Amino acid sequence: EIPNRSMLYEKIITLAYKRPLQDRKSSKVDEEIAYKILNIIGLKILENPNLSKRKLKELISQKISNDFSIKLFDARQEVEKVLFFWINNRILEDVKIGTDDLIIFTHKTINSYVAACCICERDPQDFNRWFMKNYQNPLWKEPILFLSNLGWAAEMISYLLRCDAYNKISVNNIYMAIEIMNELSEPIPNLFTLTIPHFQSFLISSDYDLVFQMAEALLTLSSEFKALLHEVSRPLLEHFQSSTRLAAIRLSIMSENNVDLDIIKKTIDYLVEQIDENIEQHSHKYSIKFKTNPFPPRKLMGGFQSDTLVECFRILVEKEIGNELFHRLNLVVTQGHINYKS
């Protein structure tokens, strides 16, 4: 089993290097230089997709000459040979667009992966400058996700969760940090210490929409992070703010840790009570507006609350079968707040 996408694309490229296609002419190229040139090509093409083949070869030749301390003439010959090799092995393509000769990758994701391999060789200071400049640019999202498993996850998450001058963190930064975490084949050291306080600060926000958005984002974390969900939610299960409690209960359920059944029952009662209050308020508004008393709308609960109600009932069904449970379920189903399918 291949644990992450970075390792998958590493294997694809290694296979292309070691096992040339039988229907193509093969040539011998130095392994280190072959990978180095491919990585630089990936970065240069992402930086400038319209870079001509001639200009691309010249830029790479100069870098290879500097990095390997060889003459520029020799570097040009090496670049020519390596380009021919990767084109023959169907990692690169030599195409003509209008009057321009271009080099492109046969698969865009391979381009993103090798560009990430090139970026990950930078020193920390240079890497941080690059990340600060590019992390909000959609063009670099795939390389950034690949960098998660190339040794830079902690630095990227740390930067994304850093407060601005107003002591705030962007919601988009939180989402990107979670995406980076989901790319990891295993949690990195100190990840809990790094992330939990920031996640909790969003979950106790007075903006309930933001609380639910944060919880939904955390629910996308892979199964490797169940312990983290538990640690995030545990101190918030009896928080004074209802939206925070709901989010904490949902996260705690998804972390597969035991949630006190009394808390589950209180949550169900609270949600049903909120539905009844909403129905009453909407009925009053409609009767004033239309001078009638139409049948009030039933679907007055947001998606997050509704899903939390279903999850709470699921826990009760697993833990406690009896008349009390039947009464609770029957009340909610007959009122149309959840359906039998849910």
Side-chain angles (χ1 to χ4, degrees), residues 183-202:
E183 282 289 316
L184 294 170
S185 51
E186 57 184 32
I188 57 177
N190 302 319
L191 184 63
F192 284 23
T193 307
L194 185 64
T195 59
I196 287 175
H198 299 296
F199 294 155
Q200 288 175 334
S201 70
F202 276 83

Side-chain angles (χ1 to χ4, degrees), residues 69-318:
S69 300
I70 59 177
K71 293 178 180 179
L72 186 57
F73 175 79
D74 295 332
R76 285 177 179 142
Q77 285 191 317
E78 200 65 46
V79 167
E80 201 71 57
K81 189 163 61 172
V82 169
L83 271 176
F84 179 78
F85 175 83
W86 288 121
I87 290 168
N88 266 353
N89 288 287
R90 295 178 181 169
I91 295 296
L92 298 174
E93 276 188 84
D94 191 349
V95 299
K96 195 174 190 70
I97 299 178
T99 58
D100 297 324
D101 290 319
L102 303 176
I103 296 294
I104 64 171
F105 280 80
T106 55
H107 198 294
K108 287 185 178 180
T109 314
I110 293 178
N111 191 168
S112 295
Y113 169 71
V114 297
C117 290
C118 191
I119 295 163
C120 81
E121 295 176 356
R122 302 183 180 207
D123 63 67
Q125 191 174 5
D126 191 24
F127 179 87
N128 287 332
R129 279 197 298 267
W130 176 88
F131 187 71
M132 287 170 60
K133 180 183 176 183
N134 295 296
Y135 78 96
Q136 292 179 307
N137 186 340
L139 175 71
W140 296 103
K141 183 177 179 180
E142 274 294 299
I144 284 171
L145 293 179
F146 277 121
L147 284 163
S148 305
N149 284 299
L150 295 174
W152 291 100
E155 286 79 359
M156 293 190 295
I157 292 171
S158 180
Y159 178 81
L160 290 167
L161 299 182
R162 199 175 299 158
C163 296
D164 63 17
Y166 301 98
N167 203 32
K168 292 183 178 180
I169 302 171
S170 161
V171 178
N172 291 335
N173 285 16
I174 289 281
Y175 290 160
M176 179 170 277
I178 289 173
E179 284 192 84
I180 288 170
M181 290 166 65
N182 271 330
E183 282 289 316
L184 294 170
S185 51
E186 57 184 32
I188 57 177
N190 302 319
L191 184 63
F192 284 23
T193 307
L194 185 64
T195 59
I196 287 175
H198 299 296
F199 294 155
Q200 288 175 334
S201 70
F202 276 83
L203 291 171
I204 62 175
S205 166
S206 58
D207 182 345
Y208 74 89
D209 280 334
L210 184 60
V211 172
F212 294 154
Q213 285 176 24
M214 183 73 250
E216 291 281 15
L218 287 169
L219 288 170
T220 66
L221 282 169
S222 59
S223 58
E224 285 81 5
F225 294 100
K226 286 178 180 177
L228 184 141
L229 291 183
H230 175 64
E231 290 300 318
V232 168
S233 60
R234 183 173 49 83
L236 306 178
L237 285 170
E238 298 193 57
H239 194 271
F240 71 88
Q241 192 169 259
S242 60
S243 57
T244 300
R245 289 199 307 275
L246 289 178
I249 287 164
R250 181 88 181 278
L251 293 172
S252 189
I253 290 171
M254 296 307 290
S255 72
E256 296 187 358
N257 280 279
N258 290 328
V259 183
D260 190 296
L261 287 184
D262 285 337
I263 293 178
I264 294 288
K265 292 174 185 177
K266 286 177 184 176
T267 303
I268 292 172
D269 291 342
Y270 167 77
L271 288 170
V272 172
E273 182 182 335
Q274 289 298 111
I275 297 168
D276 291 338
E277 287 180 6
N278 285 341
I279 289 174
E280 186 176 340
Q281 290 172 8
H282 278 254
S283 297
H284 181 64
K285 288 178 184 177
Y286 286 178
S287 63
I288 292 172
K289 184 175 181 179
F290 299 109
K291 308 298 183 185
T292 60
N293 187 23
F295 187 76
R298 295 297 187 184
K299 301 287 184 181
L300 296 173
M301 185 186 294
F304 186 87
Q305 298 99 309
S306 180
D307 291 343
T308 302
L309 183 58
V310 171
E311 287 299 320
C312 286
F313 271 121
R314 181 179 65 79
I315 295 296
L316 278 188
V317 167
E318 291 175 357

Side-chain angles (χ1 to χ4, degrees), residues 15-66:
L15 187 65
Y17 176 82
K18 292 185 175 178
R19 296 180 60 185
L21 296 166
Q22 292 181 357
D23 63 335
R24 299 291 183 100
K25 295 178 181 179
S26 63
S27 57
K28 189 70 175 176
V29 293
D30 178 81
E31 186 172 359
E32 182 185 1
I33 292 180
Y35 290 142
K36 178 84 171 179
I37 289 174
L38 185 65
N39 294 346
I40 298 169
I41 292 171
L43 182 61
K44 295 300 181 186
I45 289 176
L46 272 188
E47 288 176 339
N48 183 2
N50 297 317
L51 192 64
S52 69
K53 179 180 176 181
R54 182 187 60 78
K55 183 65 174 174
L56 176 67
K57 288 195 296 184
E58 189 58 30
L59 288 172
I60 297 170
S61 298
Q62 290 172 1
K63 183 159 181 59
I64 292 299
S65 174
N66 293 332

Side-chain angles (χ1 to χ4, degrees), residues 6-20:
S6 295
M7 193 169 288
L8 170 65
Y9 282 94
E10 179 188 2
K11 287 184 177 295
I12 289 171
I13 293 168
T14 301
L15 187 65
Y17 176 82
K18 292 185 175 178
R19 296 180 60 185

